[in-house]
Amino acid sequence: MRKGNVYLEDIPLAEARAHWRDALEKHGLYSALPGEIVSLPEACGRVTAEPIWARISEPHYHAAAMDGYAVRAADTTTATETAPATLTVPEQATYVDTGDALPQWANAVIPIENVQPEGDPTTTIQFYLSASPWHHVRAMGEDIVATELVLPANHRLRPVDIGAVAAGGHAKVVVRSRARVAVIPTGSELVPAGSTVKPGQILEYNSLMLAAQVEQWGGRARCWDIVPDRKADILAALRSAAETHDLVLLNAGSSRGSEDYSAEAIAELGSVLVHGIAVRPGHPVILGLLDTTPASPREIPVPVIGVPGYPVSTALTGEILVRPLLARWQGLADETPLTMQATLARKVLSPTGDDDFMRVAVGKVGENVVATPLSRGAGIITSLVRADGIVRIPRFSEGYPAGEQVRVDLYCRPDQIERSIVAIGSHDLTLDLLAQHLAAKGHGLRLVSANVGSLSGLIALRRGECHLAGCHLLNAETGEYNRSYVQQYLPDVPISLITLVGREQGFIVAHGNPKGIRNINDLARPDVLFINRQRGAGTRVLLDYHLEQTGLTADDVHGYEREEYTHLTVAAAVASSAADVGLGIRAVATALELDFIPLASERYDLAIPHEHRKSALLRPLLDLLHDRDFRAAVSALPGYSIEEMGRVAHEDANKSAAE
């Protein structure tokens, strides 16, 4: 353990966990929390702190299981299908409703429908079927016997468990106390969620995410107000949190920048056990202990975790460090995720010294389960939203090649993978609308998309990694879209090109067009900085076509080599002044309040193999192309045309052979 100055040094995850566990065990902080008594309506989801024994039997008397007559089984043996038996009421037969207690002398029930409607039912009954002992009777203790174990300790209570505990005679139950967790966001640049932000300000949402994780995993979270990057303020927040909480999560400032005070503050108030874990994302994690303070004398310290500030790092730190500790305090083992084997859709590289936790989207294409890597930046929170699971790339591995079989720790149920439509290819806003409307139809289907560019989408189709690919590839010689590329890259795969939209492409420039950009020739000006799309993107193919038409080359365009993967990120680069101009669709320029200079109209198609086009899985999605509400939503987007939506633009010549 270190006090005073501390230094960032990555250690393996297993070693970091061992240091953490040993320190917590030393101070008695690695065992289940004590119990508290709660009423049953408050107990669902809580964990039992002690075994629950039945106080009474269920049922606690012999009860009729049918409406009818309580009888002695021995008195009914003379009844046959041809000769009815007769019993006197109430001496030999007593009427009972379902749930009524049987007379002490009775041991069976004749259902009311088996009693003949002859004679006076107040004095006698007739019946043709005899009754065996305890027939149509719920015997005392049939479900629960007094003193029987209803539930063991360390069991998370489900709705059915609440019923069983109540049936055993309890109105309250002893459950594990919920860990009190303080979540402290730090950063002078942070402003509360919902604020109107200015340049240099960042919306603070990590604390909301951490607190939600804590609540989901059985803790009780309290979020602090944002603490500025001043060591004195951070010290004060830590002291206050340690007085009344079981765990402190100090978010951001865990690295070694000029305003990163987390490690110093923790060391000054206690000790730093670990500063830096060899994981990606999230390596500058701090594990420490806060000692007792004069204001709140305690015999044991308070665990503290310095959580990195990038949102993906924040979430991962919660999963690999906070969740296991909260589970331990609940008396539970850490949850073992559902897993699935999948084929990796593309090659990935990984830092050799780190355990790399890579987010993936997962879908089943034919008989092949495919994992598509998502954006891997630590600041890309949407990669968490879109992730179906995590692929862990172990230390000292340089990554995996495309086609590698990998284990996916799932965030979703396996049956959701079966109902996923996988789209890989060009980015377009209407794919998000498709996903939204598909979910709204209630079919239980979802659209999973990865933005890799038109050509990469066709290659993914060829490898059987997706159900469809969005593409808008211009043939410079014919002026035709997509057909020649499908024939080139998928010569042996019967493909249909179904038009999704027509859309307007052009130059995205800052509001007011301060550089006075008018046409493609302006890209060659030395004062104009361009932002490009990645190689293989249809937008880049369009750019190269127009550069060639005007006699320009890539070398003439300042910024040609800098690439982004979506229209939105191109527009964001222009909006942030990281570039003066980029090529993209009108809708994203409008969305970010930028100006737009039209260049061309293009056709955006969905390339779909015939085997998938005819499948029940894709039918609801294709039906949406003719849905009035969906078409209206697309029409409302600036620069979009639905005139050809749903039209088959090309039917592969191999169709008949495939069928």
Side-chain angles (χ1 to χ4, degrees):
M1 294 189 290
R2 292 163 285 178
K3 293 179 178 286
N5 292 328
V6 292
Y7 303 96
L8 180 62
E9 52 178 343
D10 289 353
I11 64 174
L13 177 59
E15 184 179 335
R17 282 173 165 162
H19 283 320
W20 184 233
R21 182 182 64 248
D22 292 345
L24 295 178
E25 286 181 337
K26 176 182 176 181
H27 296 284
L29 294 168
Y30 203 62
S31 56
L33 295 176
E36 62 179 2
I37 299 174
V38 300
S39 65
L40 288 183
E42 301 171 317
C44 192
R46 302 291 296 273
V47 177
T48 55
E50 57 186 40
I52 300 173
W53 306 92
R55 290 178 175 173
I56 63 173
S57 298
E58 166 56 26
H60 61 276
Y61 58 89
H62 298 321
M66 299 279 286
D67 296 343
Y69 286 86
V71 298
R72 296 181 188 88
D75 293 341
T76 70
T77 56
T78 60
T80 67
E81 293 184 1
T82 57
T86 301
L87 296 179
T88 60
V89 177
E91 292 83 2
Q92 293 178 300
T94 299
Y95 181 79
V96 289
D97 288 319
T98 301
D100 284 350
L102 266 63
Q104 289 189 347
W105 50 265
N107 66 354
V109 171
I110 297 175
I112 189 67
E113 56 267 27
N114 291 346
V115 175
Q116 301 303 308
E118 299 175 5
D120 182 359
T122 63
T123 59
T124 61
I125 61 168
Q126 283 189 342
F127 51 94
Y128 286 90
L129 295 175
S130 62
S132 56
W134 306 108
H135 198 208
H136 300 308
V137 174
R138 290 196 67 211
M140 184 178 71
E142 174 188 79
D143 190 359
I144 300 171
V145 177
T147 74
E148 180 182 356
L149 178 67
V150 180
L151 292 170
N154 300 330
H155 174 84
R156 191 178 296 282
L157 290 163
R158 304 163 297 171
V160 292
D161 299 326
I162 302 298
V165 172
H170 298 272
K172 298 181 178 180
V173 63
V174 181
V175 295
R176 296 287 179 201
S177 298
R178 296 174 65 194
R180 300 162 300 174
V181 182
V183 182
I184 305 174
T186 70
S188 299
E189 74 283 9
L190 301 179
V191 295
S195 302
T196 301
V197 291
K198 301 175 183 178
Q201 293 181 331
I202 299 174
L203 291 173
E204 197 290 300
Y205 50 81
N206 279 351
S207 67
L208 300 177
M209 183 168 58
L210 276 171
Q213 285 183 322
V214 167
E215 294 283 339
Q216 181 181 3
W217 298 329
R220 190 171 62 207
R222 177 192 167 191
C223 288
W224 249 244
D225 290 337
I226 295 168
V227 178
D229 286 320
R230 291 192 294 266
K231 185 177 176 181
D233 292 334
I234 295 173
L235 287 168
L238 286 173
R239 289 192 188 98
S240 177
E243 291 175 6
T244 54
H245 291 80
D246 303 300
L247 173 65
V248 178
L249 303 179
L250 185 63
N251 186 221
S254 63
S255 193
R256 51 186 175 187
S258 60
E259 294 184 339
D260 291 335
Y261 298 115
S262 292
E264 290 182 27
I266 292 170
E268 188 167 320
L269 295 180
S271 56
V272 171
L273 306 167
V274 172
H275 188 195
I277 302 178
V279 295
R280 298 282 173 169
H283 75 97
V285 176
I286 303 167
L287 302 177
L289 296 171
L290 301 175
D291 291 337
T292 59
T293 67
S296 177
R298 299 168 58 121
E299 293 183 0
I300 56 176
V302 177
V304 59
I305 301 178
V307 182
Y310 280 121
V312 179
S313 301
T314 296
L316 181 64
T317 299
E319 291 175 6
I320 65 177
L321 293 171
V322 178
R323 185 181 66 193
L325 181 57
L326 293 180
R328 186 77 183 187
W329 284 349
Q330 292 287 291
L332 303 172
D334 188 23
E335 295 179 6
T336 301
L338 295 173
T339 64
M340 179 176 282
Q341 291 295 119
T343 301
L344 198 61
R346 64 174 182 264
K347 177 181 179 180
V348 292
L349 300 177
S350 179
T352 57
D354 296 334
D355 284 301
D356 192 359
F357 292 80
M358 178 178 66
R359 282 88 59 207
V360 294
V362 185
K364 187 174 183 181
V365 183
E367 296 302 315
N368 190 24
V369 178
V370 180
T372 303
L374 297 170
S375 299
R376 301 177 70 188
I380 303 176
I381 193 171
T382 53
S383 68
L384 295 174
V385 175
R386 295 170 181 164
D388 296 316
I390 288 280
V391 172
R392 181 171 175 175
I393 305 174
R395 299 181 74 217
F396 308 122
S397 168
E398 295 182 355
Y400 293 130
E404 181 82 1
Q405 284 292 303
V406 295
R407 191 189 83 168
V408 182
D409 292 339
L410 292 174
Y411 288 150
C412 61
R413 301 189 313 272
D415 62 296
Q416 290 179 286
I417 305 300
E418 300 274 351
R419 299 195 302 272
S420 298
I421 300 171
V422 181
I424 298 179
S426 173
H427 168 251
D428 189 76
L429 300 180
T430 54
L431 292 177
D432 293 334
L433 285 177
L434 265 177
Q436 171 194 328
H437 282 257
L438 187 66
K441 290 295 182 181
H443 299 294
L445 302 177
R446 61 184 191 139
L447 178 63
V448 177
S449 59
N451 306 317
V452 298
S454 296
L455 283 178
S456 294
L458 296 181
I459 293 170
L461 273 183
R462 186 176 66 196
R463 294 197 299 237
E465 296 168 353
C466 58
H467 298 102
L468 57 91
C471 55
H472 57 112
L473 292 162
L474 174 66
N475 185 314
E477 296 180 358
T478 66
E480 185 181 41
Y481 274 92
N482 300 322
R483 178 178 179 177
S484 62
Y485 291 90
V486 165
Q487 292 173 334
Q488 177 183 351
Y489 285 92
L490 297 113
D492 301 319
V493 181
I495 293 286
S496 294
L497 287 173
I498 299 178
T499 299
L500 181 58
V501 289
R503 60 185 194 175
E504 201 173 7
Q505 286 261 32
F507 296 116
I508 299 170
V509 297
H511 180 64
N513 193 7
K515 291 292 180 77
I517 296 168
R518 295 288 177 259
N519 54 50
I520 197 163
N521 291 300
D522 290 318
L523 300 188
R525 286 165 39 189
D527 64 326
V528 171
L529 178 60
F530 185 72
I531 180 75
N532 206 355
R533 287 292 304 280
Q534 81 278 16
R535 186 183 300 274
T539 299
R540 180 151 168 173
V541 172
L542 179 66
L543 172 72
D544 291 343
Y545 168 76
H546 282 277
L547 287 176
E548 184 178 356
Q549 293 296 305
T550 54
L552 297 176
T553 68
D555 293 336
D556 295 321
V557 181
H558 181 38
Y560 182 93
E561 69 286 347
R562 182 181 170 190
E563 300 176 346
E564 290 291 349
Y565 276 78
T566 70
H567 295 279
L568 282 168
T569 51
V570 167
V574 175
S576 64
S577 300
D580 297 314
V581 58
L583 186 59
I585 56 177
R586 181 185 288 274
V588 298
T590 302
L592 296 188
E593 300 179 347
L594 301 169
D595 284 2
F596 182 81
I597 303 162
L599 176 65
S601 294
E602 65 177 10
R603 196 182 76 225
Y604 182 98
D605 292 334
L606 301 178
I608 309 176
H610 292 169
E611 62 171 315
H612 301 318
R613 180 186 171 190
K614 296 181 295 182
S615 70
L617 180 67
L618 260 65
R619 177 46 49 194
L621 182 142
L622 294 175
D623 287 344
L624 278 175
L625 303 187
H626 307 281
D627 180 85
R628 182 177 60 185
D629 292 339
F630 174 69
R631 292 170 71 93
V634 175
S635 293
L637 294 173
Y640 276 85
S641 166
I642 63 168
E643 184 177 345
E644 296 187 70
M645 180 180 286
R647 183 179 72 87
V648 178
H650 170 64
E651 195 84 75
D652 193 278
N654 290 324
K655 178 182 179 182
S656 59
E659 295 179 342

